[in-house]
Amino acid sequence: TQLLEQSPQFLSIQEGENLTVYCNSSSVFSSLQWYRQEPGEGPVLLVTVVTGGEVKKLKRLTFQFGDARKDSSLHITAAQPGDTGLYLCAGVPNNAGNMLTFGGGTRLMVKP
Amino acid sequence: DAGVIQSPRHEVTEMGQEVTLRCKPISGHNSLFWYRQTMMRGLELLIYFNNNVPIDDSGMPEDRFSAKMPNASFSTLKIQPSEPRDSAVYFCASSSSGVVQYFGPGTRLTVT
């Protein structure tokens, strides 16, 4: 069992649809990050959330950190084919220094 | 800035051979991380250096794996002898803030 559980694992949708990806844990995290990884490349940081209840927006992407800092969600509005990729959440458990723990990822495909 | 540089990008080798993966972190970053990514296990942290000193190597699978960081601008991950189950994409990441990590493009290793 992973410390960070992501759901769904796979998601295939049509262009224009909305979607939400979840990242859950029973542990408290100092911060949570979301990365996007495209084929043949390394993960690229999208956002870091630090405060419980925090909401951050990045164009059509909305990120939320749970009040108890145990979970996070990523919502994409009007998905586009360019959003296709592997979305990874990662966090630093309390008192774990700066070692990131990664979730298993959500593989998103947006069809034109 | 050139970002994190990894070489080679692809490596195909036979079982039993020695494999050396190389990483040049972003200049000025003081933390370096080696990860392994597979479909089955996702992204796993192998070892983490801070100021060239190994801090946590609990993720290194076994004695066949070793990592060094002789200076702030270079690190190697060595597998000797390699086995087919070592086939994966190996990522190097560096950080200055301790939490936000910048990933290299990865080395795809295939052991036949």
Side-chain angles (χ1 to χ4, degrees), chain B residues 4 10 34 81 100 103 112:
Chain B
V4 175
H10 302 273
W34 281 101
V100 176
F103 283 76
T112 61

Side-chain angles (χ1 to χ4, degrees), chain A residues 16-29:
Chain A
E17 292 184 14
N18 302 333
L19 67 117
T20 302
V21 174
Y22 299 94
C23 176
N24 295 301
S25 178
S26 58
S27 301
V28 176
F29 285 81

Side-chain angles (χ1 to χ4, degrees), chain A residues 2 31 33 35 37 40-43 45 48 86 88 92 98-100 102 107, chain B residues 9 31 33 35 37 39 41 43 45 48 56 91 98-101 103-105:
Chain A
Q2 292 193 311
S31 64
Q33 301 175 0
Y35 289 80
Q37 183 179 15
E41 299 181 8
L45 179 69
T48 300
L86 177 66
L88 295 159
V92 180
N98 57 352
M99 287 173 55
L100 279 177
F102 279 84
R107 199 166 294 276
Chain B
R9 291 295 310 275
S31 297
F33 306 81
Y35 292 88
Q37 187 176 41
M39 287 294 290
R41 301 175 68 91
L43 199 59
L45 178 65
Y48 146 50
D56 191 316
F91 288 101
V99 176
V100 176
Q101 297 183 15
F103 283 76

Side-chain angles (χ1 to χ4, degrees), chain B residues 10-40:
Chain B
H10 302 273
E11 177 79 41
V12 180
T13 191
E14 291 185 347
M15 182 174 62
Q17 296 298 306
E18 177 180 297
V19 175
T20 299
L21 310 182
R22 297 173 176 79
C23 175
K24 176 178 168 56
I26 293 173
S27 177
H29 283 191
N30 62 347
S31 297
L32 184 140
F33 306 81
W34 281 101
Y35 292 88
R36 178 172 67 178
Q37 187 176 41
T38 61
M39 287 294 290
M40 290 294 293

Side-chain angles (χ1 to χ4, degrees), chain A residues 64-91:
Chain A
Q64 186 162 7
F65 200 11
D67 291 340
R69 292 187 289 128
K70 292 183 179 181
D71 56 87
S72 182
S73 64
L74 158 60
H75 182 79
I76 302 179
T77 303
Q80 299 177 0
D83 297 326
T84 293
L86 177 66
Y87 289 82
L88 295 159
C89 68

Side-chain angles (χ1 to χ4, degrees), chain A residues 33-78:
Chain A
Q33 301 175 0
W34 285 92
Y35 289 80
R36 180 168 68 206
Q37 183 179 15
E38 298 187 22
E41 299 181 8
V44 175
L45 179 69
L46 294 174
V47 77
T48 300
V49 286
V50 179
T51 307
E54 182 177 3
V55 176
K56 280 192 174 179
K57 292 193 174 184
L58 187 66
K59 295 184 181 178
R60 293 176 294 100
L61 278 60
T62 302
F63 304 85
Q64 186 162 7
F65 200 11
D67 291 340
R69 292 187 289 128
K70 292 183 179 181
D71 56 87
S72 182
S73 64
L74 158 60
H75 182 79
I76 302 179
T77 303

